[in-house]
Amino acid sequence: MTKFLTPGVVTGLLSAAAIGASLAGKPALAAFLTDPSTAANVLAALGAIGALAAGLLKGVRS
């Protein structure tokens, strides 16, 4: 999973979302999505969610 969710991939996805938000008339959302710290925060959140899911799944199997 982590080989697919590299910083470049996340930045590209957020850039595509920013283009969509801009076309939808949401300039504030587009500015948020193009901010470089947003990609780092998304990666940190995905890592935390992955760690929680792995811990829960390990607990379920025990």
Side-chain angles (χ1 to χ4, degrees):
M1 176 99 168
T2 58
K3 72 179 184 178
F4 298 115
L5 291 177
T6 62
V9 171
V10 172
T11 302
L13 291 172
L14 289 175
S15 295
I19 291 170
S22 179
L23 291 174
K26 307 287 185 189
L29 181 59
F32 171 73
L33 292 172
T34 57
D35 185 24
S37 66
T38 301
N41 291 338
V42 167
L43 280 174
L46 288 174
I49 291 169
L52 288 172
L56 288 173
L57 291 175
K58 187 174 183 179
V60 169
R61 281 192 242 160
S62 295

